[in-house]
Amino acid sequence: MAHVRTAALLLAGLVVAQPPVAAAAAAAAAEIRAPGLQAALDYARAQKTTGFLVIRDGQVLARANWPLPEDAARFRATFAHGVNAAGEPLEDVASLQKSVVAMLTAIAVDKGLLDVEKPVSAYLGPGWSKASPDQEARIRVIHVLTMSSGLDEGFAFVAEPGTVFLYNTPVYAVTQRVLEAAARRPLAEITRDWLTGPAGMADTAWRPRPAAFGDVGNPVGLVTTPGDLAKLGQLVLDRGRAADGTRVVSETSLADLFRPSPSNPAYGRLWWLNGSDHAIRAPARRADGPLIPTAPPDLAAALGALDRKLYISPGRRLVVVRLGQAAPDKAFDANLWRLLSAALD
């Protein structure tokens, strides 16, 4: 079972119809306050990283931003949105957004707007899937949050809800519609008023994805920076309170996000969890041992395609953020945490 501690998260933004900032970043900048982290910083840079940040107890231990190389045309057209005033990369963080939406659902529960034990059809009406009426009625919001809806990516019924873990982006995107129906407000307003405003995440926004992104069943991307993601991580460490002490989400609803799900002990409510005896990436892909053996057992992670990472360790009061292109090293998670653990232990 995962040794997951009470934690929470905050992030979101506003759909902004504006041209992306010029992709050419200023000269690469690096800041290191823990010399032992130099090896981790060097490794991150060699792995096509654009933004890297390590924070412990609210203090920056290492921070670096590197410009995209000239040969990154495809990445620039799909994921990159330039840089902010501080030179941090602004990127669509892919499926890392799922963990942000999970936080929104937790806040909706606190507000009495959402009951995750109700059927999805209670919010969207019947016919939102290709399942039969009886089958669809058995799919609850909690099943979508834990990737155990029993639907395939085409929304066809293939398993009893709650029994099989199937990482499913198109079905996940239904959660955004559920939130809007429950709150009777657009997602952009919800995230601004509930999350980004209180957390001071001024560079985070929901933006329509360009055509070059392709059809992934989720046409809206979350664009953010390493600094904003770190604020999200700190909110988790501070048990749902913003930097000014404002309660953003209750500790109870926060803890629910990080409770291992019955169909996959390495997954909570749209968050990945370390420390379990096995992890399931897909129905037929069970791997014995924790998700990242070299990382702290209490690690919670928001993960996106191309190795977008937000790692949070409550026990170590640690937040680590990594943005950029896909890491060439297929063992990126394990090797990065080997270096981080050696430096921080």
Side-chain angles (χ1 to χ4, degrees):
M1 223 23 152
H3 305 290
V4 181
R5 307 182 192 280
T6 300
L9 151 67
L10 174 230
L11 191 66
L14 201 54
V15 175
V16 180
Q18 61 184 36
V21 181
E31 171 187 2
I32 296 186
R33 296 182 181 176
L37 286 171
Q38 185 64 56
L41 208 64
D42 292 343
Y43 173 73
R45 183 173 191 175
Q47 296 302 310
K48 297 188 175 182
T49 300
T50 55
F52 188 67
L53 187 55
V54 180
I55 295 178
R56 183 167 61 187
D57 286 326
Q59 300 298 312
V60 174
L61 300 185
R63 181 198 336 248
N65 302 302
W66 298 291
L68 282 169
E70 292 300 320
D71 63 359
R74 179 172 175 79
F75 181 90
R76 188 173 285 112
T78 51
F79 291 100
H81 292 258
V83 297
N84 68 0
E88 291 185 301
L90 281 155
E91 293 181 10
D92 180 331
V93 291
S95 284
L96 193 152
Q97 68 162 261
K98 292 181 172 74
S99 301
V100 174
V101 169
M103 175 57 65
L104 292 171
T105 65
I107 298 172
V109 169
D110 285 341
K111 293 179 178 293
L113 300 173
L114 180 67
D115 182 348
V116 300
E117 298 300 334
K118 283 188 175 181
V120 174
S121 56
Y123 298 95
L124 301 185
W128 63 271
S129 75
K130 295 180 182 177
S132 71
D134 287 344
Q135 292 168 338
E136 188 178 89
R138 298 199 295 273
I139 304 173
R140 294 174 283 147
V141 175
I142 186 63
H143 295 139
V144 176
L145 293 173
T146 56
M147 296 289 183
S148 62
S149 67
L151 301 177
D152 64 15
E153 291 185 341
F155 288 79
F157 192 89
V158 295
E160 191 63 28
T163 63
V164 177
F165 178 83
L166 174 60
Y167 192 82
N168 191 328
T169 293
V171 171
Y172 142 76
V174 168
T175 311
Q176 299 175 6
R177 294 166 51 200
V178 168
L179 276 167
E180 291 182 322
R184 297 183 180 181
R185 300 176 63 193
L187 182 66
E189 290 184 8
I190 295 169
T191 53
R192 179 193 63 208
D193 295 346
W194 295 0
L195 297 177
T196 44
M201 299 169 67
D203 292 315
T204 300
W206 291 102
R207 298 189 187 183
R209 284 172 163 162
F213 200 96
D215 183 8
V216 295
N218 183 22
V220 180
L222 187 75
V223 175
T224 188
T225 64
D228 272 10
L229 287 175
K231 291 176 182 177
L232 156 65
Q234 194 62 47
L235 178 71
V236 173
L237 295 184
D238 293 338
R239 299 186 177 184
R241 291 189 182 276
D244 63 0
T246 299
R247 169 66 64 188
V248 176
V249 61
S250 70
E251 290 193 38
T252 297
S253 292
L254 188 59
D256 287 341
L257 299 181
F258 302 95
R259 184 170 291 113
S261 59
S263 60
N264 188 356
Y267 205 72
R269 297 184 184 181
L270 301 177
W271 278 87
W272 290 96
L273 310 174
N274 204 35
S276 59
D277 61 4
H278 72 277
I280 300 173
R281 293 283 193 174
R285 289 178 55 198
R286 169 179 167 141
D288 290 333
L291 194 68
I292 308 174
T294 54
D298 71 347
L299 190 80
L303 305 178
L306 308 185
D307 294 304
R308 263 43 102 59
K309 316 285 186 180
L310 168 61
Y311 307 105
I312 304 164
S313 173
R316 296 192 184 187
R317 299 288 298 168
L318 187 67
V319 176
V320 180
V321 181
R322 187 269 181 190
L323 297 187
Q325 301 181 81
D329 185 356
K330 299 305 180 184
F332 176 81
D333 285 300
N335 287 327
L336 175 64
W337 275 103
R338 186 175 293 108
L339 293 169
L340 289 173
S341 296
L344 298 176
D345 288 346

